[in-house]
Amino acid sequence: MRKIIAQNKRVEVVKDETPAVKSHFLLVKTLYSTISPGTELTIIENSTDKPITLGYSAMGVVEEVGSGITGVQKGDLVAVYGAPYVQHSEYLLVPKTLFAKVPPNVEAKEAALAGIGAIAIHALRIADLQFGETAVIVGLGLLGQMIAQIANAASYRVIAYDLHEERSTMVKEQANIRSFSSMEEMKQAIAESTNGNGADAVLLCAGGKRSPLTGQSLEWIRNKGKVVIVGDIEPDFPRNLMFSKEAQLLISRAGGPGRYDKVYEAEAVDYPYGFVRWTEGRNIEEYIRLVSEKRIDVSSFIKEEVNFSDVTEAFEALLNKNSTTLTKVINFSK
């Protein structure tokens, strides 16, 4: 089989052995996988002579079902998430804790975004918002756009901001969310929406490591409000402002409980439903439900499809900033 790797700051397609199915795992033939520009471009730019397999969100058709798995059979479509099990690879060996079945009314390319959806859902769970509270989404790349739509579907009061006007306009048109490319206009909207009290939570989805947004975000929240770091930002916050508001600083890690836990992933042992309600696997299922019930619309995220045979050129365009799209979906049939 073929898969995509990063090595010496370049993207290559290499050959590897097709994995054999084993107990509590599915063997999946990939139909589509999603490029996550923020994460994957960083990996490429930092890559050395040691090859790193790219990708973590995909969908495909079940080829074989390992023992100990029920409710799915050969030929079913599934959404899958989580490296190293999910990659830009023709075949994937995925534990039973990291997939969700795809119903007929969900397009294959929409299902391939399941990993992004799970990360967005978990970020909102970390924010722990109540019905009617105000969430400010800062940074409207792929993940920020997804979070804004899901927050809106949950009936939070959503205010979104991105420096780039086209991204701000995109979320406004897609879900009728109040969105701004002017920070002054955004701050005014927060004041109006909260009667001057400040937002209940700010979710920072922008990158840039040392960002001025970290300190500024504390100005936008209410007393005892929250700032959730979702993007690649160093948590450098002024103590005085944190102290005066008794602010909560939180970090959202990937798609939910279970991520990076060898027992949950490598050994495919699920957490008890009554004790860990929302694992990363159940967040994948929830994303699929939101799309299936038309509560969110991700069609604008997947307008650019790339043939597997042309994938190196697609990554080069992203690396050279020649593309303004939020993501590219890789078609493994071409």
Side-chain angles (χ1 to χ4, degrees):
M1 70 172 189
R2 296 171 299 169
K3 67 179 184 179
I4 301 167
I5 66 163
Q7 188 172 21
N8 292 322
K9 305 185 188 305
R10 292 182 59 84
V11 173
E12 301 177 27
V13 176
V14 298
K15 290 186 177 182
D16 198 1
E17 291 187 7
T18 301
V21 73
K22 60 182 182 179
S23 178
H24 301 294
F25 277 68
L26 296 175
L27 180 63
V28 177
K29 183 178 181 180
T30 309
L31 298 180
Y32 290 96
S33 68
T34 300
I35 297 173
S36 176
T39 299
E40 294 182 48
L41 296 189
T42 299
I43 291 173
I44 296 167
E45 289 168 350
N46 293 330
S47 63
T48 61
D49 56 357
K50 182 179 179 180
I52 303 172
T53 306
L54 297 172
Y56 64 79
S57 183
M59 67 79 58
V61 59
V62 176
E63 288 280 295
E64 292 186 62
V65 180
S67 61
I69 301 178
T70 59
V72 66
Q73 60 186 358
K74 181 177 180 179
D76 284 346
L77 295 181
V78 292
V80 292
Y81 159 62
Y85 314 97
V86 179
Q87 312 168 344
H88 297 313
S89 176
E90 289 182 303
Y91 288 90
L92 305 168
L93 186 63
V94 184
K96 66 179 183 181
T97 48
L98 293 179
F99 83 90
K101 287 180 66 173
V102 179
N105 68 326
V106 174
E107 290 189 17
K109 287 186 283 187
E110 294 176 334
L113 288 166
I116 312 299
I119 293 168
I121 289 168
H122 180 60
L124 285 167
R125 296 199 195 286
I126 291 295
D128 193 24
L129 292 159
Q130 302 297 315
F131 176 82
E133 290 189 335
T134 300
V136 177
I137 317 300
V138 179
L140 297 174
L142 177 60
L143 185 55
Q145 297 268 348
M146 185 78 78
I147 290 174
Q149 281 208 37
I150 295 171
N152 188 58
S155 292
Y156 304 143
R157 301 184 186 193
V158 182
I159 297 171
Y161 168 78
D162 194 286
L163 181 64
H164 302 285
E165 186 175 356
E166 65 272 17
R167 291 190 172 184
S168 172
T169 301
M170 181 178 176
V171 72
K172 189 185 305 181
E173 292 177 345
Q174 195 73 17
N176 197 28
I177 291 170
R178 300 180 72 186
S179 184
F180 306 92
S181 56
S182 161
M183 190 170 289
E184 289 303 315
E185 290 180 3
M186 179 203 68
K187 289 192 289 185
Q188 183 178 347
I190 294 171
E192 292 173 354
S193 178
T194 65
N195 293 320
N197 289 301
D200 297 283
V202 173
L203 290 90
L204 294 177
C205 304
K209 292 292 185 181
R210 301 287 177 180
S211 171
L213 293 171
T214 53
Q216 291 171 335
S217 63
L218 290 173
E219 300 173 3
W220 308 332
I221 60 172
R222 62 171 171 84
N223 282 338
K224 300 183 183 294
K226 306 159 191 169
V227 176
V228 182
I229 297 177
V230 186
D232 188 16
I233 295 178
E234 289 292 335
D236 184 15
F237 291 83
R239 182 187 184 280
N240 288 344
L241 201 48
M242 287 188 69
F243 178 82
S244 66
K245 290 191 173 182
E246 202 171 12
Q248 296 181 57
L249 174 59
L250 305 164
I251 294 181
S252 177
R253 185 178 72 174
R259 192 71 185 108
Y260 310 115
D261 180 352
K262 292 182 179 179
V263 173
Y264 180 90
E265 295 185 336
E267 298 177 25
V269 177
D270 201 356
Y271 299 146
Y273 190 92
F275 291 89
V276 185
R277 177 63 182 88
W278 290 108
T279 61
E280 59 177 330
R282 291 191 265 274
N283 282 336
I284 299 170
E285 293 174 350
E286 182 62 9
Y287 165 77
I288 294 297
R289 182 187 75 86
L290 291 172
V291 175
S292 176
E293 296 181 1
K294 310 300 181 187
R295 297 179 183 271
I296 60 174
D297 182 0
V298 298
S299 58
S300 63
F301 303 168
I302 48 177
K303 289 184 175 179
E304 191 160 337
E305 182 179 313
V306 178
N307 296 336
F308 186 81
S309 57
D310 301 325
V311 75
T312 53
E313 292 85 350
F315 272 103
E316 285 177 8
L318 288 170
L319 283 167
N320 296 328
K321 315 300 182 186
N322 290 336
S323 174
T324 58
T325 57
L326 295 176
T327 186
K328 297 173 186 283
V329 180
I330 303 171
N331 185 338
F332 278 77
S333 66
K334 298 179 181 180

